[in-house]
Amino acid sequence: PKKVLKPTEFQQFELKEKTIISHNVAIYRFSLPSPSSILGLPIGQHISIGAVLPQPDGTQKEIVRSYTPISGDHQPGYFDLLIKSYPTGNISKHMASLVVGHTIKVRGPKGAFVYTPNMVRHFGMIAGGTGITPMLQIVRAVIRGRAAGDKTEVDLIFANVTKEDILLREDLDALAAEDKGFRVHYVLDKPPEAWTGGQGFVTADMISKWLPKAAPDVKLLLCGPPPMVGGLKKAAVGLGFEKARPVSKLEDQVFAF
């Protein structure tokens, strides 16, 4: 299959389907040049989306943001992006305004993380909100690789504000039901009554309870709002993990997307 992405050059892709998930979340499906084309995106890497957008002062400015598709190269012909649009977001608000037939410009791949089967014995993952996208990409790759001998264990803490905010919960629960090596633990800041999952922000106690202990063959993967990731990096040090770098490298024990 022909790989489409070019790391240094933006290319246009047409929106062919838009699936509304909630008032501010949608899945956007973009066509690739042919039914057999693939993005050519290694598992764990992401793409850049660029758009020239009007600014408050009346000028136009090119804005570029990174996103991880929730589809993969095993699904030729298209790629899917799960995007939550924020009132103050540049690209996310632009995406929400797109209708079928509109195009976006994309380049890639980019990112320091590339997943390879059995690279570690056990992943501990912590995601907040749309930070679930790189985690889901890796979890799906691990489970797809079982038949070929991928034995990686995965525990995921997924933090959100309310139960309604949990993105792709059905997909995550189905993966956990299908694969005994993958477990998902939900944490809500504002849980409903009778909620049995975690409550509040993700704490060191939750990490100790649900995720693997620090070890040379364990990696902790983080993705979410910057204040959350900053707090988790500090908590991880207290639990015996190596101190995270400001910009993560593949070999790091604690990797923030």
Side-chain angles (χ1 to χ4, degrees), residues 76-91:
Y78 66 88
F79 65 94
D80 288 343
L81 296 172
L82 173 85
I83 295 178
K84 186 171 189 172
S85 53
Y86 298 91
T88 54
N90 279 299
I91 295 290

Side-chain angles (χ1 to χ4, degrees), residues 156 158 160 166 169 172-173 184-188 195 197-198 210:
L156 163 68
F158 188 17
N160 287 280
I166 303 174
R169 182 171 184 175
L172 291 164
D173 289 345
V184 57
H185 315 273
Y186 297 103
V187 176
L188 294 180
W195 173 253
W210 290 322

Side-chain angles (χ1 to χ4, degrees), residues 65-196:
R65 293 286 182 271
S66 297
Y67 290 95
T68 304
I70 56 169
S71 55
D73 285 348
H74 61 294
Q75 298 160 293
Y78 66 88
F79 65 94
D80 288 343
L81 296 172
L82 173 85
I83 295 178
K84 186 171 189 172
S85 53
Y86 298 91
T88 54
N90 279 299
I91 295 290
S92 73
K93 198 165 68 173
H94 170 66
M95 295 292 288
S97 73
L98 298 180
V99 296
V100 169
H102 283 178
T103 61
I104 57 165
K105 49 184 205 171
V106 172
R107 69 179 177 213
K110 60 188 295 252
F113 191 90
V114 177
Y115 176 71
T116 48
N118 299 312
M119 66 191 289
V120 291
R121 172 178 57 84
H122 202 150
F123 280 121
M125 299 178 169
I126 310 174
T130 51
I132 191 64
T133 55
M135 307 306 184
L136 182 63
Q137 192 195 37
I138 294 164
V139 168
R140 283 178 169 160
V142 167
I143 294 173
R144 277 200 310 278
R146 294 293 191 216
D150 196 333
K151 295 183 169 61
T152 312
E153 294 275 320
V154 183
D155 276 276
L156 163 68
I157 295 175
F158 188 17
N160 287 280
V161 179
T162 68
K163 194 174 167 186
E164 290 66 41
D165 291 320
I166 303 174
L167 299 167
L168 304 169
R169 182 171 184 175
E170 285 178 6
D171 299 44
L172 291 164
D173 289 345
L175 290 167
E178 170 199 339
D179 188 275
K180 65 182 192 303
F182 169 58
R183 293 157 294 273
V184 57
H185 315 273
Y186 297 103
V187 176
L188 294 180
D189 193 23
K190 296 176 181 167
E193 281 184 36
W195 173 253
T196 55

